Amino acid sequence: MTKLLIATNNQGKVQELHELLQGMDIELVTPSQIGLDLDVLEDGLTYAENATKKAIAFAKASNLISLADDSGLEVDALNGAPGFYSARYGSTNGEKLSDADRRKYLLSKLQDRPRPWTARFHATIAIAIPNGDIHLAVGICEGEIIPTERGIGGFGYDPIFLLPELKKTMAELSMDEKNRLSHRAKAVMNAKEVLNKLLSK
């Protein structure tokens, strides 16, 4: 069975990717499982640049096909912020805020803006082969930011990101629903075709 390295130690992402890639003829491994401690500086100017940088670094270090993603929340009232700074939003002195503090910081920036606060989650997945080949896939999930947290699932900005057609936040979705509707789910669906081709070689 071909090994696929998930180029992150973020447990929320690892769990999601495990669910999304179930049923494929691959063995998913994490950096910690193979003793790989790699911190890649995400200084690209696009999601694709950051995802590519991570995937290539992990593929070269492990000699395994590696999958990395870069994702972000884009809020229209904030001109697309926090965007690919989503994980570092509100940070000072290089210290990352907790998920809860980042949500509070985002809501403080929106307080004086008229609602609805339309927004989208964007995910770009990069799959890198140790020989340097790279494949990209994108997923987008439209919604809006709400001022009160709802739900206990998910991570990051999920409790304040509402999917209006379902009247649920991302944190209120069942794993089944999230695996159909989330930005990462859509990106993985688009990446599966590439993975299948790579696995059949």
Coordinates of all heavy atoms in Angstrom, one line a residue, residues 4 21 24 26 65 67 127 188 190-200:
L4 N 1.1 7.9 2.1 CA 0.9 9.3 1.8 C 1.1 10.1 3.1 O 0.5 9.9 4.1 CB -0.5 9.6 1.2 CG -0.9 11.0 1.0 CD1 -0.1 11.6 -0.2 CD2 -2.4 11.2 0.8
L21 N -10.1 10.8 3.0 CA -9.4 9.9 2.1 C -9.6 8.4 2.4 O -9.0 7.5 1.9 CB -7.8 10.2 2.3 CG -7.5 11.6 1.7 CD1 -6.1 12.0 2.1 CD2 -7.6 11.6 0.2
M24 N -9.5 4.9 0.0 CA -8.5 4.9 -1.0 C -7.4 3.9 -0.6 O -7.1 3.7 0.6 CB -7.9 6.3 -1.2 CG -8.9 7.3 -1.7 SD -8.1 8.8 -2.3 CE -7.3 8.3 -3.8
I26 N -4.4 3.8 0.2 CA -3.2 4.4 0.6 C -3.1 4.3 2.1 O -4.2 4.2 2.8 CB -3.2 5.9 0.2 CG1 -4.5 6.6 0.5 CG2 -2.7 6.2 -1.2 CD1 -4.5 8.1 0.2
I65 N 5.3 10.5 -1.1 CA 4.4 11.5 -1.7 C 3.8 12.2 -0.5 O 3.4 11.6 0.5 CB 3.3 10.7 -2.4 CG1 3.9 9.9 -3.6 CG2 2.2 11.7 -2.9 CD1 2.9 9.0 -4.3
L67 N 1.1 15.4 1.0 CA 0.0 16.3 0.8 C 0.0 17.4 1.8 O 0.0 17.1 3.0 CB -1.3 15.4 0.9 CG -2.7 16.1 0.6 CD1 -3.7 15.2 0.1 CD2 -3.2 16.8 1.9
I127 N 0.0 18.4 -3.7 CA 0.6 17.0 -3.6 C 1.9 17.0 -4.3 O 2.0 17.3 -5.5 CB -0.4 16.0 -4.3 CG1 -1.7 16.0 -3.6 CG2 0.2 14.6 -4.2 CD1 -2.8 15.3 -4.4
V188 N -10.1 18.2 -1.4 CA -9.7 16.8 -1.4 C -10.4 16.0 -2.6 O -9.7 15.2 -3.2 CB -9.9 16.1 -0.1 CG1 -9.7 14.6 -0.2 CG2 -9.0 16.7 1.0
N190 N -11.2 17.2 -5.4 CA -10.6 17.5 -6.6 C -9.1 16.9 -6.7 O -8.6 16.7 -7.8 CB -10.5 19.1 -6.7 CG -11.8 19.7 -6.9 OD1 -12.7 19.1 -7.5 ND2 -12.0 20.9 -6.5
A191 N -8.6 16.6 -5.5 CA -7.2 16.0 -5.5 C -7.2 14.5 -5.7 O -6.2 13.9 -6.0 CB -6.5 16.4 -4.1
K192 N -8.4 13.9 -5.4 CA -8.5 12.4 -5.5 C -8.1 11.9 -6.8 O -7.5 10.8 -6.9 CB -9.9 12.0 -5.1 CG -10.0 11.8 -3.6 CD -11.4 11.2 -3.2 CE -11.5 10.9 -1.7 NZ -12.8 10.4 -1.3
E193 N -8.5 12.6 -7.9 CA -8.2 12.2 -9.2 C -6.7 12.1 -9.4 O -6.2 11.1 -10.0 CB -8.8 13.2 -10.2 CG -8.9 12.7 -11.6 CD -9.6 13.8 -12.5 OE1 -10.5 14.5 -12.1 OE2 -9.1 13.8 -13.7
V194 N -6.0 13.1 -8.9 CA -4.5 13.1 -9.0 C -3.9 12.0 -8.2 O -3.1 11.2 -8.7 CB -4.0 14.5 -8.5 CG1 -2.4 14.4 -8.4 CG2 -4.4 15.6 -9.4
L195 N -4.4 11.8 -7.0 CA -3.9 10.7 -6.2 C -4.2 9.3 -6.8 O -3.3 8.5 -6.8 CB -4.6 10.7 -4.8 CG -4.1 11.8 -3.8 CD1 -5.0 11.9 -2.6 CD2 -2.7 11.5 -3.4
N196 N -5.3 9.1 -7.4 CA -5.6 7.9 -8.1 C -4.6 7.6 -9.2 O -4.2 6.5 -9.4 CB -7.1 7.8 -8.6 CG -8.1 7.5 -7.5 OD1 -7.7 6.8 -6.6 ND2 -9.2 8.1 -7.5
K197 N -4.3 8.6 -10.0 CA -3.4 8.5 -11.1 C -2.0 8.1 -10.5 O -1.3 7.3 -11.1 CB -3.3 9.8 -11.9 CG -4.4 10.0 -12.9 CD -4.2 11.3 -13.7 CE -5.4 11.5 -14.5 NZ -5.5 12.9 -14.9
L198 N -1.6 8.8 -9.5 CA -0.3 8.5 -8.9 C -0.2 7.1 -8.3 O 0.8 6.4 -8.4 CB 0.0 9.5 -7.7 CG 0.2 11.0 -8.2 CD1 0.3 11.9 -6.9 CD2 1.4 11.2 -9.0
L199 N -1.3 6.7 -7.7 CA -1.3 5.3 -7.1 C -1.3 4.2 -8.2 O -0.9 3.1 -7.9 CB -2.5 5.2 -6.2 CG -2.6 6.1 -5.0 CD1 -3.9 6.0 -4.3 CD2 -1.4 5.8 -4.1
S200 N -1.8 4.6 -9.3 CA -1.9 3.5 -10.4 C -0.6 3.4 -11.2 O -0.5 2.5 -12.0 CB -3.1 3.8 -11.4 OG -2.8 5.0 -12.0

